[in-house]
Amino acid sequence: MTQTLLYIDPGTGSMLFSLAIGVATTLVFAVRALAVKLRFVLSGGKAQKISSNKIPYVIFSDHKRYWNVFKPVCDEFERHKIPLVYYTQSADDPALSEKYEFVKAEFIGEGNRGLVRMNMLNAGTVISTTPGLDVLQWRRSKTADRYIHIPHTVTDLSDYRMFGLDHYDAVLCTGQNQVDFIRKIEGLRPTIKRKDCVIVGSTYLDANLERARSLAPHLPSKDNPTVLVAPSWGMSSILNRFGEVLISSLLGSGLKVIVRPHPQSLASEKEMLETLETKFAGKEIEWNFDNDNLSVLNRADILITDFSGIIFDYALIFDRPLIYAETNFDTSPYDADWLDERMWTFRAAEKIGIKLEEKDFHKIGEIIRNAMASERMSEEREKVKKECWQNIGGAAKAIFEYATSAI
């Protein structure tokens, strides 16, 4: 006798889980409301002050890699002696080892387990760098007052998955490029509530700039340069589109090669990475999986990337040349698909980097050495910096002041 197994594809499964979470959350809040009414009746109809146990300030981090974004903010709360709860979905988040007095870090579980906790949160202000609020599994809690988004990149945010910021109350932007994008999207989707867009700067770039000053000076090698391949993730990324042929071309040109996959690739694209690692086993190639990227960026004479925000981490902190591959980027899953213009990331990359196309892979060594010798892009890097990274050195203070201001 044969058995027929029920198969549910990942997309359908995600929607079903969202529905289940929605039902469960509604029931929880209904029970809470009933309890309040019962207290009112049992007290003879007289209003009583009931403690809400509301947490004034919460940071939600879905991965430890965002600690470089949040640490300066946590430090600011600690300095002002203002209580803050830091919820993380990484059991080894560095926040859990910090010796704070007023900032309390807690691991709430990975994946859906942690999101269930967040969906029932009783809080005043929630700060997060996670897009997709109220889109699928992560829902706005009915007992949380406002949600603030802090970007973890200085791009214009059009490379967020569609509707990624629609349900936030505020976005604390790194520069004018992000404000411009958000206002365009709000104009195209009139049902969206107009959110606060305040330029505060970038916490992680501020911190990296300070740290970079303490690193050992890097001496570039024109004869045998170190090339860092650091892409984004997804089907349009370099490693998915050109991984094998690109790495082969670099190794064939006698270059030192470091490949740093996007952290999300470790979760979503394990098979692709394992195939590449097996293919180049025994070759002169270094695979870098460090949680923090500053050290490996400092070691690189030149960066090769795609649409990843690492373009700006590298160019704006280290003021060195880069090469980018546009990879026929598919905008359909992203908010960029709503815009009748080229993504800001690629327009900026054109100014501060050299475009690489697959037909030029055979002469990649020559392209790299020419890019390292060029001086024209230094002025362009300064112009792009003014667009996307403002209030340099003051981001943590500005975020703290906004988050603790009256709603």
Side-chain angles (χ1 to χ4, degrees):
M1 180 177 179
T2 59
Q3 231 179 357
T4 302
L5 298 178
L6 178 63
Y7 170 75
I8 301 178
D9 66 87
T12 303
S14 180
M15 287 189 289
L16 288 174
F17 181 82
S18 298
L19 177 62
I21 288 298
V23 171
T25 302
T26 300
L27 288 173
V28 168
F29 285 116
V31 170
R32 285 182 183 175
L34 179 60
V36 171
K37 290 178 182 177
L38 284 173
R39 289 186 192 183
F40 181 78
V41 171
L42 293 174
S43 67
K46 297 179 181 179
Q48 290 184 340
K49 185 177 180 181
I50 300 172
S51 172
S52 65
N53 296 318
K54 187 179 286 286
I55 305 169
Y57 303 104
V58 171
I59 285 179
F60 168 56
S61 177
D62 64 62
H63 196 278
K64 64 182 179 181
R65 65 177 174 270
Y66 300 122
W67 178 234
N68 63 351
V69 175
F70 292 126
K71 185 180 188 305
V73 180
C74 290
D75 291 345
E76 200 70 17
F77 271 85
E78 183 73 12
R79 188 170 69 83
H80 285 86
K81 299 182 180 180
I82 302 294
L84 170 72
V85 176
Y86 182 96
Y87 287 138
T88 176
Q89 290 195 280
S90 292
D92 56 347
D93 194 311
L96 299 168
S97 303
E98 288 286 334
K99 304 300 181 183
Y100 288 129
E101 181 180 354
F102 295 92
V103 179
K104 306 299 181 185
E106 181 183 343
F107 171 57
I108 59 172
E110 297 177 359
N112 293 328
R113 178 185 166 198
L115 294 180
V116 169
R117 178 85 173 269
M118 291 303 301
N119 293 351
M120 300 178 184
L121 187 66
N122 187 13
T125 295
V126 183
I127 304 169
S128 182
T129 191
T130 307
L133 174 65
D134 238 17
V135 177
L136 286 176
Q137 286 96 330
W138 184 29
R139 316 300 296 179
R140 285 186 67 115
S141 171
K142 293 182 179 180
T143 49
D145 298 330
R146 66 171 174 174
Y147 286 79
I148 298 173
H149 181 78
I150 303 178
H152 60 266
T153 175
V154 296
T155 66
D156 70 346
L157 309 180
S158 62
D159 55 354
Y160 277 10
R161 296 278 167 165
M162 208 171 284
F163 316 116
L165 296 177
D166 285 10
H167 303 290
Y168 272 96
D169 301 297
V171 179
L172 303 188
C173 303
T174 66
Q176 187 61 41
N177 63 326
Q178 294 182 348
V179 176
D180 292 344
F181 162 72
I182 290 169
R183 294 304 183 218
K184 288 175 186 175
I185 284 292
E186 288 177 339
L188 293 168
R189 299 203 282 260
T191 56
I192 303 174
K193 176 185 174 183
R194 186 178 173 91
K195 59 183 67 63
D196 280 354
C197 289
V198 180
I199 296 175
V200 298
S202 171
T203 53
Y204 80 92
L205 281 183
D206 285 351
N208 280 354
L209 184 60
E210 276 300 309
R211 292 170 57 210
R213 289 168 178 160
S214 66
L215 296 175
H218 176 78
L219 300 175
S221 172
K222 293 182 181 180
D223 296 327
N224 190 23
T226 297
V227 181
L228 173 63
V229 179
S232 186
W233 67 283
M235 294 310 298
S236 295
S237 70
I238 282 180
L239 290 186
N240 272 295
R241 293 294 303 278
F242 309 127
E244 183 175 331
V245 63
L246 173 62
I247 295 172
S248 295
S249 299
L250 290 169
L251 293 174
S253 300
L255 302 163
K256 294 180 181 177
V257 180
I258 304 173
V259 179
R260 176 183 169 81
H262 190 280
Q264 186 61 38
S265 292
L266 299 176
S268 305
E269 302 171 327
K270 284 184 179 180
E271 185 177 345
M272 179 270 290
L273 291 181
E274 289 171 358
T275 298
L276 289 175
E277 287 185 78
T278 301
K279 171 69 178 179
F280 294 103
K283 303 291 184 180
E284 292 296 321
I285 181 173
E286 175 185 339
W287 293 86
N288 180 274
F289 300 101
D290 294 344
N291 186 53
D292 183 87
N293 66 13
L294 195 69
S295 177
V296 72
L297 287 175
N298 185 50
R299 290 165 53 201
D301 292 308
I302 192 166
L303 170 72
I304 297 180
T305 187
D306 41 39
F307 52 94
S308 171
I310 204 170
I311 289 175
F312 306 101
D313 299 357
Y314 185 72
L316 303 186
I317 293 291
F318 296 102
D319 193 27
R320 296 178 199 161
L322 63 92
I323 293 173
Y324 70 96
E326 197 158 339
T327 70
N328 296 317
F329 183 76
D330 178 12
T331 61
S332 59
Y334 306 97
D335 268 328
D337 203 54
W338 284 71
L339 305 179
D340 292 327
E341 61 184 40
R342 206 148 158 267
M343 289 174 64
W344 180 89
T345 297
F346 292 125
R347 286 184 276 128
E350 279 184 349
K351 300 174 184 177
I352 63 177
I354 294 176
K355 184 176 179 179
L356 178 66
E357 298 182 75
E358 188 174 10
K359 65 181 178 60
D360 297 324
F361 282 5
H362 69 282
K363 57 178 180 180
I364 196 165
E366 177 186 345
I367 292 173
I368 286 172
R369 290 178 176 88
N370 288 341
M372 290 179 61
S374 173
E375 297 180 2
R376 77 165 176 87
M377 290 180 288
S378 183
E379 289 183 9
E380 295 298 331
R381 285 194 285 270
E382 191 60 33
K383 292 177 184 177
V384 168
K385 181 187 289 188
K386 290 178 181 178
E387 287 183 56
C388 66
W389 183 17
Q390 296 170 284
N391 193 30
I392 295 175
K397 179 182 177 183
I399 291 169
F400 171 81
E401 289 177 350
Y402 181 87
T404 55
S405 64
I407 300 175

